[in-house]
Amino acid sequence: MKKYFVIGNPIDHSLSPKLHNYWLTKNNIKAVYDRKKINKGDIQSVISQVKEKKINGINVTVPFKKAVIPYLDQLSPEAEQTQSVNTIILSNDNLVGHNTDIAGFTKAIEELNFNIQGKKIFILGAGGVVPSIIFALKKMNVSEIIISNRTKKKAEDLKSQFHSLKIVDWGEITDFDVIINATSLGLNGETINLNFSKSINNKLFYDVIYNPVETNFLKEAKKLGSKTENGKLMFVYQAFEAFKIWHGIEPKINSEVLEILNND
Ligand code: ATR
């Protein structure tokens, strides 16, 4: 029986096992997908099990998307350019790291019926998924990307990777067409303390968080008449791309799939 894992810390909240196991069953693939909470010191031994074919594939989540890179033989161009890996496969005896968060975000935005080209984007947060979001946004030809993070140094580190980024201090607000919450604020009911009430008509408020379905950030935006979207489709599409890499099959995304992710 083939074995797949998502590794991270914390990992209890991950809905990847639910989604992948559903697709595995639907496609009659004899495999099982589980979660594994690890520490940084465990990365090498977990990845070596892929080389030894004891594990057939790994998804990587926060905070190890960069930390796994030294243990891999090869990176996809997207993983290389973002220095972020969320999917590992053994290919011709080489450990290859892919980044499917980029495709996940891109497809989620494309489904929105919102033309993002030429738009001004304001990103809150500078954590694990942000390089992928920036990479995707640049490919979609947005006009400007502005970033704000509580720890400014992390925003500055991103700027050394993506030179055209603009940085504003945490707590300050700038003009934008699209605002993306990529912080963990909202996972536990927190509110983001920024005053959006001025000019937010016809803006898009996007939250990478999908559980809860509607964070306070999105609730506020909706009240003020903005378009809102959570990170569920991004999550589903990154999983879709990983499934394709491992099994060579495009799994179905339908209302049943979206429904099973609501039952937590
Ligand atoms: P990591 O930082 O390990 O990659 P993450 O979940 O990907 O983890 O990112 C968490 C993000 O939420 C970071 O941008 C973090 O800001 P810091 O870089 O300053 O830590 C942000 N965040 C978490 N709690 C926050 C809070 N109470 N106020 C503001 N930002 C917060």
Side-chain angles (χ1 to χ4, degrees):
M1 170 97 72
K2 289 186 168 178
K3 276 194 208 143
Y4 297 83
F5 285 97
V6 55
I7 59 170
N9 193 347
I11 198 69
D12 286 348
H13 67 280
S14 173
L15 293 180
S16 291
K18 208 167 185 179
L19 183 52
H20 279 275
N21 284 321
Y22 171 85
W23 280 334
L24 287 169
T25 307
K26 282 280 171 194
N27 289 284
N28 295 315
I29 298 170
K30 287 198 170 43
V32 61
Y33 184 115
D34 208 349
R35 52 171 76 87
K36 215 189 247 297
K37 182 175 165 184
I38 65 160
N39 295 311
K40 198 159 186 229
D42 304 324
I43 294 176
Q44 184 162 22
S45 77
V46 174
I47 292 183
S48 67
Q49 291 181 58
V50 180
K51 195 109 186 182
E52 293 158 11
K53 300 182 179 153
K54 290 179 186 154
I55 296 177
N56 302 82
I58 291 178
N59 271 150
V60 185
T61 188
V62 170
F64 302 126
K65 289 182 180 187
K66 188 179 167 83
V68 295
I69 292 177
Y71 306 103
L72 302 174
D73 301 315
Q74 213 177 304
L75 297 180
S76 72
E78 291 83 5
E80 177 71 48
Q81 286 179 59
T82 51
Q83 288 294 296
S84 176
V85 165
N86 78 328
T87 303
I88 298 172
I89 187 173
L90 191 68
S91 174
N92 301 322
D93 275 328
N94 278 327
L95 287 163
V96 184
H98 291 266
N99 178 331
T100 72
D101 289 326
I102 298 169
F105 181 75
T106 305
K107 288 191 170 184
I109 294 293
E110 282 169 359
E111 287 222 349
L112 270 185
N113 196 20
F114 179 92
N115 183 10
I116 204 161
Q117 193 182 334
K119 297 290 194 303
K120 205 168 177 177
I121 318 292
F122 186 28
I123 301 177
L124 304 174
V129 80
V130 173
S132 305
I133 290 178
I134 295 171
F135 186 90
L137 288 169
K138 286 171 80 77
K139 274 260 154 87
M140 290 188 274
N141 290 319
V142 302
S143 68
E144 203 177 327
I145 305 175
I146 305 137
I147 189 163
S148 182
N149 193 53
R150 178 181 60 177
T151 311
K152 199 172 184 181
K153 167 84 171 63
K154 281 205 222 161
E156 285 162 355
D157 289 347
L158 277 171
K159 190 175 164 63
S160 61
Q161 199 177 343
F162 301 100
H163 303 296
S164 60
L165 272 190
K166 296 204 171 112
I167 301 177
V168 304
D169 286 340
W170 182 248
E172 267 180 37
I173 201 154
T174 179
D175 182 37
F176 62 85
D177 302 307
V178 178
I179 185 165
I180 299 171
N181 176 35
T183 74
S184 47
L185 287 172
L187 275 176
N188 298 307
E190 306 95 327
T191 317
I192 298 179
N193 234 344
L194 295 174
N195 184 8
F196 295 118
S197 59
K198 282 172 204 150
S199 55
I200 75 157
N201 272 340
N202 297 320
K203 314 272 185 199
L204 169 64
F205 277 58
Y206 185 95
D207 203 321
V208 172
I209 296 172
Y210 57 89
N211 187 10
V213 175
E214 199 169 63
T215 55
N216 287 330
F217 173 75
L218 295 187
K219 276 194 186 121
E220 284 302 310
K222 214 178 230 178
K223 261 193 238 159
L224 294 162
S226 274
K227 190 173 170 65
T228 63
E229 184 68 23
N230 73 17
K232 189 171 180 178
L233 274 185
M234 178 182 179
F235 168 73
V236 171
Y237 279 122
Q238 64 73 30
F240 170 94
E241 294 293 329
F243 197 93
K244 219 164 74 174
I245 288 170
W246 290 331
H247 310 291
I249 292 172
E250 292 197 348
K252 282 211 170 65
I253 296 175
N254 52 28
S255 53
E256 192 177 311
V257 169
L258 299 177
E259 196 52 41
I260 59 163
L261 298 176
N262 280 347
N263 292 340
D264 264 38

